[in-house]
Amino acid sequence: MRAAHNLLPKDVGPKVPQVVILFGASGDLSQRKLIPGLFRLATQGFIPQCFIVGTALEDISRDEFIKLARNAVDSFYDHPFTEEDWEKFADQIDFVSVQSGPEALRGAVEKAQERCDSAPKLLHYLSVPPKAALASIKTIADAGLVENSRVIMEKPFGTDLESAIDLNKEIHKVFDETQVFRIDHFLGKEPAQNILAFRFANGLFEPIWNRNFIDHIQIDVPETLEVAGRSDFYEATGAYRDMVVTHLFQIMAFVAMEAPTALAPGPISEEKNKVFRSMVPIQPDDVVRGQYGEYRDIPGVDIESDTETFIALRCAIDNWRWAGVPFYLRTGKALAEGQRIVSIAFREPPKSMFPEGSGVGTQGPDHLTFDLADAAKVSLSFYGKRPGPGMRLDKLSMQFSMDETGMQRDVLEAYERLILDAMLGEHTLFTTAEGIERLWEVSEPLLQSPPPTRPYAIGSWGPNAIHQLVAPNAWRLPFEREWREPLGEVFDDH
């Protein structure tokens, strides 16, 4: 029997119609994530009404854009739907070329507003390259579409402290900070939010979530994808700006923050910002940068490029809870596996009473591991006695996967969740101007004097120097033990 769900989509979504102005509507992100996500939110009842005005540099017709949208849904939407669903959704789509100017955009938005049953909210989604973000904001201002609106911005938010300050200053000339939603799709994932639930809803773990019991923490996001096709973006950005500042540091804040006074945007943002304020500036000696061998052969990449496609670093949070606990972060392209894990390594007992040869301590410390992939897996490893005579210990584990609950179908994809939150004005999973500027500030020593990139082979785990960085500890990936597959579908009737 399936669990009874108290909340229906209409209960968690906005109560007023939404007009979404989708900048970069013909781009890759829009096709893969945004249009399929909006289709789900609109057709499954999360939004009372949803009209979409796409805009892009291409001079295409509304019918041509609707064909692009249908192809996006057919290719990337993985839920059942009817032709009636599609026809209703397509009827609420319009398109205006950027070349037509702000007045044409305003006209299309006003036409959508007139079709709404009640006064709608406007949501601008800037699915555009960073260099086009301010131009899009100017278009919004010139079109008179700022009032009663919100704007979602894609990363990166600047490339250093100076550019981040300048970017925020220009944004705030048009939008109030309460209207701005800087998106990090990592935080929109159900498993990332589960870290907060795990920490603060369970009396078992919160008392030991500190330097007295935790030895070190790893946040590890290797990718098998290579850079081909994104060389212009990557040459100007690199792995640190692309992934660490905008994703890994945000996950670190969820792991390290103090308990907020309430599960609300203000208190949560304040606790995250306290973590960022407590971070020790990132020193070049605590960083390993790498570049995979074939990177410079990619069209558009400088033959002498020093851009990192891999980065690993050790950072510290100098506060009462985490003083002396190293945080190890790693991410990169063209690596051996695609994984997204947070691993908490607990301190080992100060003295062992077990006899030599028992196996205790030979397989490293106990770990609590969160898999941030969509299956939302959690594993706790520990030593236990092997059956039989004598005292021989093996490393065992308890594991949980969202697949086992029968509720995996209810999980919103990250962009779906974040778009819905922005429509609600819910800032919990978005970064603030203060937070992003502080992260660029602690990055200054590294950005000013980056260590040289080291070569690594495609399909490896990065340069060999990463082992010295984490010593005397070891990287949690690759796993010695594979995640167990669930035995079958389990349904909770309580």
Side-chain angles (χ1 to χ4, degrees):
M1 177 178 177
R2 287 194 185 276
H5 299 289
N6 297 322
L7 293 177
L8 297 172
K10 63 183 178 61
D11 297 320
V12 297
K15 301 300 184 282
V16 299
Q18 303 287 318
V19 177
V20 179
I21 300 92
L22 184 54
F23 288 80
S26 61
D28 182 61
L29 178 62
S30 291
Q31 301 298 301
R32 287 187 299 106
K33 297 291 186 181
L34 306 183
I35 291 173
L38 288 166
F39 181 69
R40 182 182 183 190
L41 296 177
T43 58
Q44 293 192 7
F46 288 94
I47 312 169
Q49 279 182 299
C50 182
F51 291 87
I52 299 171
V53 178
T55 183
L57 290 173
E58 290 86 350
D59 188 12
I60 59 176
S61 67
R62 174 178 179 269
D63 288 344
E64 289 172 315
F65 179 63
I66 289 176
K67 287 180 181 177
L68 285 177
R70 178 56 191 258
N71 182 65
V73 170
D74 288 341
S75 301
F76 301 108
Y77 186 71
D78 58 1
H79 300 273
F81 68 95
T82 66
E83 280 303 310
E84 184 181 354
D85 291 332
W86 168 253
E87 291 298 331
K88 182 178 179 181
F89 183 72
D91 181 58
Q92 296 174 339
I93 294 176
D94 202 353
F95 182 84
V96 177
S97 172
V98 169
Q99 301 174 40
S100 300
E103 286 303 317
L105 181 63
R106 180 181 178 86
V109 172
E110 288 178 342
K111 187 167 70 173
Q113 289 173 308
E114 290 168 1
R115 296 182 62 189
C116 295
D117 294 337
S118 59
K121 282 276 191 183
L122 305 184
L123 179 67
H124 305 282
Y125 198 119
L126 307 191
S127 179
V128 297
K131 60 185 178 183
L134 290 180
S136 299
I137 287 177
K138 184 178 186 303
T139 297
I140 295 169
D142 292 345
L145 299 174
V146 176
E147 187 178 355
N148 199 36
S149 76
R150 298 173 176 124
V151 59
I152 296 179
M153 299 190 65
E154 280 285 339
K155 53 102 175 174
F157 315 111
T159 56
D160 54 22
L161 178 59
E162 183 180 2
S163 63
I165 291 172
D166 290 344
L167 177 61
N168 285 327
K169 192 178 297 182
E170 291 301 313
I171 293 168
H172 292 155
K173 288 179 181 177
V174 177
F175 290 100
D176 182 81
E177 177 66 14
T178 59
Q179 296 175 278
V180 182
F181 293 78
R182 298 169 188 81
I183 196 166
D184 172 12
H185 71 272
F186 269 48
L187 295 189
K189 290 181 175 294
E190 200 80 31
Q193 298 163 55
N194 199 36
I195 293 174
L196 294 182
F198 200 93
R199 283 194 59 191
F200 299 124
N202 297 294
L204 177 62
F205 289 101
E206 179 54 26
I208 61 172
W209 208 267
N210 57 61
R211 59 188 173 84
N212 296 320
F213 299 93
I214 292 176
D215 183 78
H216 65 276
I217 294 172
Q218 294 181 26
I219 301 173
D220 209 349
V221 186
E223 297 181 286
T224 57
L225 295 173
E226 299 178 28
V227 176
R230 302 180 67 211
S231 60
D232 288 347
F233 168 80
Y234 218 79
E235 271 290 271
T237 307
Y240 184 80
R241 290 178 171 91
D242 182 38
M243 291 291 292
V244 178
V245 175
T246 50
H247 294 322
L248 273 63
F249 281 159
Q250 302 298 327
I251 294 294
M252 186 178 75
F254 268 22
V255 174
M257 64 189 274
E258 298 296 323
T261 55
L263 196 66
I268 288 178
S269 292
E270 176 57 22
E271 295 305 332
K272 284 174 60 183
N273 287 340
K274 284 181 183 177
V275 172
F276 299 148
R277 288 182 214 131
S278 300
M279 285 179 65
V280 177
I282 309 299
Q283 301 300 321
D285 289 346
D286 292 328
V287 177
V288 174
R289 297 169 70 238
Q291 186 184 94
Y292 67 83
E294 289 81 351
Y295 175 73
R296 296 181 185 179
D297 298 331
I298 298 172
V301 172
D302 189 324
I303 193 173
E304 297 182 355
S305 173
D306 191 50
T307 300
E308 78 279 358
T309 61
F310 169 97
I311 193 156
L313 61 148
R314 177 175 54 233
C315 53
I317 299 171
D318 191 20
N319 62 14
W320 191 268
R321 183 181 291 263
W322 297 113
V325 177
F327 286 72
Y328 299 106
L329 281 56
R330 175 173 64 171
T331 187
K333 301 291 186 183
L335 296 175
E337 293 180 25
Q339 294 271 7
R340 295 170 178 175
I341 71 156
V342 176
S343 190
I344 317 294
F346 292 98
R347 293 192 182 278
E348 298 188 66
K351 184 173 175 60
S352 175
M353 66 180 184
F354 294 94
E356 187 176 349
S358 66
V360 69
T362 59
Q363 297 182 58
D366 299 338
H367 282 87
L368 176 64
T369 302
F370 297 88
D371 185 339
L372 302 186
D374 291 334
K377 296 175 181 176
V378 181
S379 173
L380 178 64
S381 71
F382 55 92
Y383 284 102
K385 183 183 178 299
R386 182 186 296 179
M391 182 58 72
R392 179 70 182 173
L393 279 68
D394 286 326
K395 202 72 167 182
L396 309 173
S397 69
M398 294 185 291
Q399 297 185 5
F400 162 80
S401 170
M402 186 62 71
D403 289 336
E404 298 170 0
T405 67
M407 293 185 288
Q408 184 66 26
R409 75 194 192 286
D410 296 333
V411 172
L412 284 177
E413 199 274 335
Y415 282 96
E416 295 168 355
R417 169 64 187 265
L418 293 169
I419 289 171
L420 200 64
D421 279 0
M423 289 177 172
L424 291 164
E426 168 66 72
H427 275 89
T428 299
L429 301 177
F430 295 86
T431 57
T432 65
E434 177 190 344
I436 203 68
E437 288 176 15
R438 171 58 183 166
L439 290 176
W440 286 121
E441 184 180 3
V442 300
S443 301
E444 285 288 279
L446 171 62
L447 297 179
Q448 290 174 6
S449 302
T453 56
R454 301 168 184 257
Y456 66 95
I458 291 177
S460 70
W461 285 98
N464 289 332
I466 61 171
H467 301 297
Q468 286 76 48
L469 178 71
V470 79
N473 305 304
W475 290 102
R476 185 76 169 135
L477 287 175
F479 282 131
E480 293 180 4
R481 290 169 300 281
E482 296 296 323
W483 289 101
R484 289 194 296 269
E485 293 300 320
L487 297 176
E489 204 172 22
V490 177
F491 302 112
D492 179 11
D493 59 357
H494 297 290

